[in-house]
């Protein structure tokens, strides 16, 4: 078995995109630089290495392409690359001009282990503006033959070739060339529908102002539509600058997301690497029914596509993951993207509540405000909603309801926030009603014994919710839920008459890690004024606790620290995202988590992942089966049984736990 810290063990493959130095009409030199970069890609354990269009001859040869001396020399250059490749597992995608049936084709030679697996011709030849390719080349559609003789071997030829790795079945490759992807229906679309997960484009693509962004849009869009990876390589230093310029642009995209990009306009050759998650792509295709429908619609054409088998032996050593993995998958690392996501998430919540109030013809909201993260965020969403409805914020009836372990810090923050926001604020002490309930139950705490069991906790949570619902009845309002996605995933909520229930929950699909950022975003934007921003930052900095168990006579702090019980939310939100969004095995989730490179070591990750698996799959689905309405906010999904997650309440967690224990060292 491959080592745990090896991306190939976990359904990933490594791709290289290469920008070599070239000399115009000097195939021997170009082959030398191609071989050097291919060797580097092999040393880095790449499964595939992409080179630019017509790289062995250079793209800008123009009418020199009709010179037999150049074409013969290019074929000799290819022979030298093939010979060098005998020592490598890496599949090389090499561009060159090739004579076939008295036509000259612009082709990609797919080379591995001293053999040409196939030849893929360019289909669409641009002959507009600065391009004049039909002067020199014929389209691959113009040739009849499906096999050609090349350097003593018979090799399949066509844009209908799909290269399938027999021992890594999710690794399937399709190739197209430059203009092919600029068309309404690129050949790679059919490659993807035929099963290709990695699409590659050999391009020359001279540079003009703004063109680089358009290339990225094409690569991103095609990878997203095809649920694939898309590799792109444009010609770089050494091409002729008679009338054009070249920037050497290398890209790797996966399902619309950029994994790697080269430095443009470099004077030196370049190579970029990225690890592509094939399992993620296959999982997406399995989920997206429209992808399968598209396969059905094109089944006649797809049935004619030819498959070329090859094998790739992954490295047997530990290999560092070359792929951006964020500790907070719900919260982008990039500040600008994060700002945009916070704007959207916040406004989705506001607009959801806005519609619910309008539809129900209700003008008052009842909410419990603890001074913690979730109720704070729900409260500021409610305030913005009232502003948009043109209603006074005093229509928000906010109650802080101290119990047996409420700290002065959170209670004072709750009061200060309610005052700063201008809502109707009330303190309602739930301890008398809790004591009556505990007395009715015969609970030992009522007799003075320090028994802080689950009943003791749930009586407080239940009394708070019971009061809120009756207050909503009394004031003709709705109870606004505050519990978040992370708590629902872990079952960290009191079922029924507890924080599990409300009339509408704006936080239903917002994880804890995102709520922290949303509160800071609102504070930074100053949406509610300077004083409110100061309090919001204080709340965001407060340690997370349900504040249900007292900490002792000498301490204002509660005994409970949520993350000591159910694990750090940074880890649990990570686990939630990759297990529910992509269906990954626990061992793969642990591998990705350990690859982030922060302070969590593998034993810690494994410990809290086990807690997550037990709570998520075994003990808490019955709570998710009957949750209140609330808007879906992020692509990470929601756990509503009416939306992203529909599961039995009585399933077992055994197979997930066994997979984790068996496959994570």
């Amino acid at each position: 078995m491959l080592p745990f810290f090896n991306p190939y063990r976990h359904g990933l493959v490594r791709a290289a995109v290469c920008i070599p130095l070239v000399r115009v009409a000097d195939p021997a030199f170009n082959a030398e630089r191609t071989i050097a970069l291919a060797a580097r890609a092999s040393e880095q354990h790449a499964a595939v290495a992409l080179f630019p269009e017509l790289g062995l001859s250079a793209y800008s040869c123009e009418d020199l392409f009709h010179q037999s001396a150049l074409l013969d020399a290019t074929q000799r250059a290819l022979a030298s690359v093939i010979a060098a490749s005998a020592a490598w597992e890496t599949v090389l995608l090499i561009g060159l001009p090739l004579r076939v049936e008295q036509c000259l084709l612009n082709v990609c030679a797919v080379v591995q282990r001293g053999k040409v697996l196939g030849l893929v011709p360019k289909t669409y030849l641009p002959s507009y503006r600065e391009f004049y390719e039909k002067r020199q080349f014929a389209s691959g559609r113009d040739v009849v033959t499906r096999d050609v003789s090349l350097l003593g071997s018979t090799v399949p030829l066509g844009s209908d070739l799909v290269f399938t790795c027999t021992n890594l079945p999710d690794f399937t490759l399709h190739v197209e060339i430059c203009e092919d992807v600029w068309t309404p229906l690129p050949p790679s679309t059919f490659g993807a529908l035929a099963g290709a997960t990695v699409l590659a484009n050999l391009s020359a693509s001279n540079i003009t102002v703004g063109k680089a962004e358009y290339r990225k849009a094409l690569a991103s869009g095609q990878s997203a539509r095809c649920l694939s990876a898309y590799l792109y390589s444009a010609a770089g230093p050494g091409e002729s600058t008679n009338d054009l310029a070249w920037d050497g642009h290398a890209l790797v995209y996966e399902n619309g997301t950029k994994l790697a990009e080269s430095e443009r306009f470099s004077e030196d050759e370049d190579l970029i690497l990225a690890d592509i998650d094939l399992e993620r792509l296959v999982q997406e295709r399995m989920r997206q029914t429209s992808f399968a429908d598209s396969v059905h619609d094109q089944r006649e054409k797809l049935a004619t596509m030819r498959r070329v088998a090859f094998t790739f032996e992954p490295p047997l050593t530990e290999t560092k993951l070359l792929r951006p993995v964020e500790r907070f998958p719900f919260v982008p690392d990039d500040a600008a993207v994060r700002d945009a996501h916070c704007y959207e998430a916040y406004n989705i919540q506001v607009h959801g509540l806005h519609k619910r109030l309008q539809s129900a013809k209700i003008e008052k909201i009842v909410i419990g405000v603890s001074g913690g993260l979730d109720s704070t965020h729900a409260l500021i969403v409610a305030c913005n909603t009232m502003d948009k409805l043109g209603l006074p914020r005093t229509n928000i009836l906010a109650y802080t309801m101290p119990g047996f372990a409420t700290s002065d810090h959170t209670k004072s923050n709750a009061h200060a926030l309610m005052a700063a926001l201008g809502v109707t604020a009330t303190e309602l002490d739930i301890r008398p009603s809790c004591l009556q309930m505990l007395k009715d139950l015969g609970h030992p705490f009522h007799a003075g014994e320090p028994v802080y069991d689950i009943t003791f906790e749930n009586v407080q949570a239940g009394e708070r919710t019971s009061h809120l619902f009756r207050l909503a009845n009394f004031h003709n309002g709705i109870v606004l839920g505050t519990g978040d996605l992370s708590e629902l995933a872990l079952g960290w909520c009191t079922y029924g008459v507890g924080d599990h229930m409300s009339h509408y929950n704006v936080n239903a699909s917002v994880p804890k890690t995102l709520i922290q950022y949303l509160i800071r975003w609102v504070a930074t934007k100053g949406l509610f004024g300077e004083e409110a921003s100061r309090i919001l930052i204080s709340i965001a900095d407060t340690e997370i606790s349900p504040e249900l168990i007292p900490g002792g006579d000498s301490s204002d702090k509660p005994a409970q620290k949520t993350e000591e019980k159910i694990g750090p939310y940074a880890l649990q939100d990570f686990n939630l995202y990759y297990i529910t969004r992509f269906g990954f095995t626990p061992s793969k989730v642990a591998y990705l988590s350990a690859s982030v490179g922060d302070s969590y070591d593998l034993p810690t990750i494994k410990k809290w992942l086990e807690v997550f698996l037990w709570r998520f799959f075994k003990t808490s689905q019955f709570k998710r089966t009957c949750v209140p309405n609330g808007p879906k906010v992020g692509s990470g999904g929601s756990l509503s049984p009416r939306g992203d997650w529909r599961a039995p309440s009585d399933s077992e967690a055994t197979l997930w736990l066994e997979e984790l224990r068996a496959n994570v060292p």
Side-chain angles (χ1 to χ4, degrees), residues 513-569:
T513 48
L514 179 55
I515 282 182
Q516 290 175 313
Y517 277 91
L518 282 167
I519 291 173
R520 293 183 188 279
W521 179 82
V522 169
T524 302
K525 297 295 182 183
L527 299 186
F528 296 103
E530 185 176 336
E531 175 62 11
S533 292
R534 182 191 65 78
I535 301 163
L536 290 174
I537 293 298
S538 175
I539 291 170
D541 290 338
T542 301
E543 186 168 30
I544 300 168
S545 170
E547 296 196 331
L548 295 171
I549 297 177
D553 294 337
S554 62
S555 174
D556 178 50
K557 295 183 178 180
Q560 291 166 297
K561 295 180 180 179
T562 297
E563 292 180 302
E564 290 181 358
K565 179 72 173 178
I566 59 174
Y569 279 112

Side-chain angles (χ1 to χ4, degrees), residues 334-360:
D334 183 271
V337 177
R338 183 169 64 245
D339 182 82
H341 279 213
C342 286
Y343 168 81
E344 287 186 328
Y346 181 69
N347 280 284
I348 288 170
Q349 293 176 279
V350 169
H351 279 257
L353 181 57
H354 184 286
K355 172 63 177 178
R356 179 49 53 96
L357 290 171
Q358 280 188 323
S359 178

Side-chain angles (χ1 to χ4, degrees), residues 370 403 405-412 542 547 556-558:
S370 67
T406 301
S407 67
D408 290 339
H409 175 70
T410 55
K411 187 168 77 169
S412 63
T542 301
E547 296 196 331
D556 178 50
K557 295 183 178 180

